[in-house]
Amino acid sequence: MDAVVLEEAGSPRLVDRPRPDPAPGEVLVRIDRVGVDGTDREVVAGAHGRVESSMVLGHEAVGTVADPNGTAFEPGETVVPTVRRPPGDHNEYFRRGEPDMAPMDATVECGIDGADGFMAEFVAVPSEYLLRLPERLAPAGFLVEPLSVTAKALELVEASREPFTWERNRALVLGTGSLGLLTLPVLDDRFEEVYCLGRRDRDDPAVQLAESVGATYVDSRETAVDDVPGAHAPMDLVVEATGHAPHAAESVAALAPNGVAALLGVPTDHEAPVELGELHRELVVGNRALIGSVNAGYSHFEQAVEWLDALPASVVDAFTEHVYPLAEFEAALDRDVIKTAVELDP
Ligand code: NDP
């Protein structure tokens, strides 16, 4: 079968691999589509994750059950695989059903960190790591995984503000990449005002999509993150989705008292002088919170399916506009558009 593997940073290849033989408890899944995000590009560049000798790329997948192999699945069901697996036997995080809370040495991540991903014609997936998806959502099913990342982050945000009356009026998303843009419609349902900060011109399709879901665009070349309160208003929530390290500290400066910033981007090393006293003070005297969040658990995937179903059709269209056949996977990895995906079985 065909699979896209990474053996050497910068050089993903289409190779022939044996079709997997599902072990007891595993389902054979025919992969239909695999989304590509910033993490995939970072993995290909060698800036994120871990490739032992060869790794199948792709972690945002939707597929069809080819062989249930004695599990509770039915042939032909549309399914989405989760991303994390135990590195050996199940450890305490997986036993508790909280793989997303495992430290990086207690998990592997399919297509990212130490385990084969899903950009292959067939994959064998333990049934507990598969989620059913209504068939009508299949064309955009690769968006479940990134939406699950937002679902987890927002759950942590809510939990951190749960003990008091959180007056949540304004939210700001940093980044006009696929994760940031997908987060906007979710926030639009929960906040009175939603802002999106990026560094693109106003006629860029990503900016237009942000505005189409009701977000006010903030051009970071005109207004820096920490100037947002002065130029617009202090934010009750900031969701950082760039991986640009200075945004961590700047997010705190953009927060209203009692506000919370959720960091999702994964930065490379970055040295910069930071006025730590002010950062520390603003967090403490303003009851502000800074939260990091990675990956997602099964319940977040379930939430993501609901959110996918509720996405405006125009957003789904924009996110499924650039789907490439497997033979053109390099275009999907390279192209700078709202979202790309690879189709394995057109
Ligand atoms: P994209 O590559 O699609 O988007 C990245 C965004 O960050 C773009 O808006 C880009 O701007 C902006 N950006 C990149 N570098 C800078 C910079 N130096 N200064 C300002 N803006 C910058 O990635 P995704 O949306 O898929 O993911 C965003 C981040 O989140 C990545 O770091 C990714 O690894 C991480 N991620 C984390 C997850 C988690 O579980 N925590 C899950 C998925 C992703 P432009 O396009 O204009 O260059």
Side-chain angles (χ1 to χ4, degrees):
M1 66 167 190
D2 288 333
V4 176
V5 301
L6 188 68
E7 287 159 352
E8 193 186 326
S11 309
R13 292 194 304 129
L14 186 60
V15 299
D16 187 35
R17 276 209 167 185
R19 181 190 287 202
D21 192 13
E26 288 186 341
V27 177
L28 185 68
V29 177
R30 195 190 71 224
I31 294 295
D32 298 323
R33 288 181 167 187
V34 180
V36 172
D37 74 348
T39 301
D40 295 307
R41 293 190 201 94
E42 290 163 8
V43 168
V44 169
H48 188 142
R50 177 172 41 104
V51 178
E52 300 296 353
S53 54
S54 164
M55 182 178 80
V56 177
L57 289 173
H59 62 281
E60 300 178 350
V62 58
T64 305
V65 173
D67 178 3
N69 194 31
T71 66
F73 286 88
E74 298 288 337
E77 279 189 305
T78 302
V79 285
V80 168
T82 63
V83 175
R84 286 196 163 183
R85 304 285 180 268
D89 289 339
H90 281 57
N91 56 44
E92 58 192 302
Y93 301 96
F94 285 81
R95 272 195 293 274
R96 287 200 295 257
E98 297 172 349
D100 52 307
M101 298 311 294
M104 292 310 288
D105 61 358
T107 185
V108 294
E109 295 183 339
C110 297
I112 302 173
D113 194 82
D116 278 336
F118 309 125
M119 210 178 275
E121 285 179 281
F122 290 90
V123 297
V125 183
S127 61
E128 68 265 35
Y129 300 124
L130 276 180
L131 198 82
R132 287 185 180 85
L133 190 70
E135 196 181 343
R136 68 192 146 77
L137 299 180
F142 57 86
L143 298 178
V144 170
E145 196 280 336
L147 280 167
S148 76
V149 169
T150 298
K152 173 183 171 179
L154 293 191
E155 186 181 75
L156 292 179
V157 162
E158 296 282 351
S160 78
R161 307 292 85 184
E162 193 272 335
F164 62 94
T165 306
W166 182 34
E167 290 181 25
R168 45 149 87 186
N169 298 314
R170 297 180 192 88
L172 168 67
V173 171
L174 308 182
T176 54
S178 55
L179 183 59
L181 289 175
L182 260 187
T183 301
L184 290 174
V186 175
L187 296 181
D188 191 51
D189 284 346
R190 289 161 180 74
F191 289 80
E192 283 171 26
E193 294 172 27
V194 177
Y195 296 79
C196 177
L197 178 139
R199 54 181 184 178
R200 301 212 165 196
D201 293 338
R202 285 174 193 277
D203 60 357
D204 188 278
V207 176
Q208 292 186 345
L209 183 65
E211 291 182 332
S212 78
V213 295
T216 300
Y217 181 61
V218 181
D219 188 330
S220 62
R221 297 165 298 183
E222 298 162 0
T223 307
V225 178
D226 39 8
D227 291 333
V228 168
H232 296 276
M235 297 292 143
D236 302 303
L237 170 68
V238 175
V239 177
E240 181 279 324
T242 65
H244 180 50
H247 279 169
E250 291 162 1
S251 294
V252 175
L255 289 175
N258 301 347
V260 52
L263 308 181
L264 295 178
V266 181
T268 50
D269 292 348
H270 187 112
E271 284 186 28
V274 179
E275 212 295 85
L276 287 173
E278 186 183 357
L279 175 70
H280 191 156
R281 193 167 55 247
E282 291 302 311
L283 283 166
V284 173
V285 302
N287 286 302
R288 297 175 175 90
L290 197 53
I291 288 173
S293 178
V294 69
N295 198 257
Y298 199 86
S299 63
H300 309 119
F301 275 77
E302 289 177 321
Q303 173 67 78
V305 172
E306 279 181 36
W307 287 350
L308 176 61
D309 204 8
L311 279 183
S314 58
V315 174
V316 174
D317 288 348
F319 271 83
T320 53
E321 191 183 343
H322 301 284
V323 180
Y324 294 85
L326 186 58
E328 294 174 32
F329 74 91
E330 281 167 318
L333 286 168
D334 283 350
R335 260 205 86 188
D336 184 19
V337 290
I338 286 169
K339 182 77 176 175
T340 59
V342 170
E343 187 152 59
L344 287 104
D345 189 32

